[in-house]
Amino acid sequence: MRTVNVEGLSGLDRLRFTIKNRAVSQYEGGRRSTVKGRSTEFSGFREYIPGDDMRYVDWNAFARLDKLYIKEYMEEREGVINIFLDTSSSMIFGEKPKDELMSGLAEAICYISGRQKDSLTVTDLADPLRSIKLPKGRLGMMRLEAFLRGINPEGRINLSDAVRKAAYGKFGLTFIISDFYDEDFLKEGEDILKFMRYLRQDTVLLHVLSGEELEIEQVGAFRLHDIEVPDDMITATFDRDTVEKYMTALNEFRGTLSKMADKAMARYYLCRTDRTLGRIIMEDLRGLYDI
């Protein structure tokens, strides 16, 4: 897949993903946690409990009040970010291919999370049991770009099975980037998303669709083929009535995904290839950030 240079996108440096405490690791990182620890950021006092570390006793308070109090500090934890990529053939459709936007989204997520010292793992759903864990900083960006350039979307992916296998045991903030053209996922998706929540995954569905899929501008007779089955050709006539039915079905499709996400306490965002990556990151996905 083609990669893009996201480092020049305006405003990217000030973004940080909202991650719930149940989805952060036990390792030190750049995120403030409600868990009390021993960082330099003071949180408050509490009464001494036998067994507490005496190094954190406030002796000034003891001198004034004749009672032991412990100083508490806000602990900084490492956020955990997972990216699942749908690399089926349908993702290469469009004048601006969907996989190109998928690649840009993955790079932007990596850049934002890297600045917060988060842990980042990327999974190609064509082989859901094999993931790449990226180092932090510039080296992580370089390895992600190399990983993405080595992917050639092809064939079909059973999205339901792939996500279930990829999700197992990986807590954190999880992005699934796909066009979601999989009937099984539409049937089973709510159960899969609930399963992911059970695994402490806060899930975000990034629904990538091309401008041509979202707005049909031409009518007439066309020779079409299933991009995932190239030899399967059909002739179809698109009149205004057919286009209207298509748009109704498309809106129902998007609505189903959105409702599925809501019921499973996940989040859904549409990402259009006819919008710039910068506008998608800064405007369409603004609900993902601490601002």
Side-chain angles (χ1 to χ4, degrees):
M1 297 191 297
R2 290 180 59 184
T3 58
V4 298
N5 179 15
V6 300
E7 296 182 21
L9 291 179
S10 176
L12 212 61
D13 289 344
R14 66 174 184 266
L15 300 179
R16 55 184 292 154
F17 292 120
T18 303
I19 300 182
K20 298 177 181 178
N21 283 311
R22 71 185 188 87
V24 296
S25 76
Q26 73 272 28
Y27 299 112
E28 181 180 350
R31 293 184 173 276
R32 288 188 298 178
S33 169
T34 56
V35 178
K36 298 302 186 292
R38 302 303 177 198
S39 74
T40 59
E41 184 170 354
F42 178 69
S43 174
F45 295 96
R46 65 170 173 80
E47 289 190 22
Y48 171 81
I49 299 173
D52 282 339
D53 193 330
M54 296 298 291
R55 291 177 299 171
Y56 298 103
V57 169
D58 187 328
W59 295 109
N60 289 327
F62 177 73
R64 294 194 311 270
L65 304 172
D66 195 27
K67 197 169 186 179
L68 293 177
Y69 288 90
I70 295 290
K71 294 179 181 178
E72 290 192 317
Y73 298 85
M74 190 70 71
E75 186 170 275
E76 292 188 336
R77 293 285 185 92
E78 178 187 65
V80 178
I81 309 288
N82 307 303
I83 304 176
F84 298 164
L85 304 174
D86 176 1
T87 57
S88 58
S89 295
S90 64
M91 294 299 291
I92 64 176
F93 178 78
E95 182 176 350
K96 182 182 178 182
K98 290 180 281 186
D99 69 315
E100 185 175 318
L101 176 55
M102 177 170 66
S103 178
L105 289 168
E107 291 176 82
I109 293 168
C110 179
Y111 183 85
I112 295 169
S113 64
R115 290 184 59 82
Q116 296 304 130
K117 300 180 182 179
D118 292 329
S119 169
L120 181 69
T121 301
V122 184
T123 301
D124 177 356
L125 291 177
D127 186 5
L129 297 181
R130 183 176 65 87
S131 302
I132 178 172
K133 184 175 173 58
L134 300 174
K136 296 176 176 62
R138 180 58 190 157
L139 180 58
M141 290 295 298
M142 293 172 62
R143 291 196 179 171
L144 175 62
E145 290 168 2
F147 177 75
L148 295 172
R149 286 195 294 268
I151 295 175
N152 294 306
E154 59 182 359
R156 287 183 170 175
I157 292 176
N158 185 316
L159 203 59
S160 298
D161 288 346
V163 169
R164 187 180 288 107
K165 290 176 182 177
Y168 191 78
K170 295 178 182 175
F171 66 90
L173 176 63
T174 301
F175 295 88
I176 305 176
I177 310 178
S178 174
D179 56 15
F180 296 103
Y181 286 152
D182 180 78
E183 292 184 5
D184 288 337
F185 189 81
L186 290 178
K187 296 175 183 177
E188 304 171 16
E190 185 179 337
D191 290 337
I192 293 171
L193 294 177
K194 287 180 178 178
F195 172 67
M196 294 176 72
R197 180 170 177 74
Y198 170 76
L199 296 176
R200 294 195 296 154
Q201 296 196 40
D202 293 322
T203 307
V204 178
L205 305 183
L206 298 184
H207 191 191
V208 178
L209 292 177
S210 69
E212 295 92 331
E213 290 170 318
L214 289 162
E215 297 178 11
I216 297 179
E217 298 179 350
Q218 295 180 329
V219 295
F222 300 92
R223 290 273 288 170
L224 307 174
H225 71 270
D226 184 339
I227 200 167
E228 295 182 354
V229 187
D231 295 331
D232 189 5
M233 299 289 297
I234 63 170
T235 300
T237 300
F238 285 84
D239 54 23
R240 296 194 182 280
D241 182 58
T242 303
V243 171
E244 185 176 327
K245 290 179 180 178
Y246 167 81
M247 294 304 300
T248 298
L250 177 64
N251 290 332
E252 290 177 353
F253 171 46
R254 291 175 49 199
T256 297
L257 287 170
S258 181
K259 290 176 183 177
M260 178 192 304
D262 286 343
K263 289 182 179 179
M265 300 184 71
R267 286 172 281 179
Y268 167 89
Y269 295 91
L270 174 66
C271 302
R272 304 174 57 122
T273 64
D274 55 359
R275 286 174 62 82
T276 65
L277 178 62
R279 291 188 68 183
I280 292 171
I281 296 296
M282 301 302 299
E283 298 175 15
D284 301 344
L285 304 183
R286 61 184 177 272
L288 292 173
Y289 315 120
D290 290 326
I291 296 178

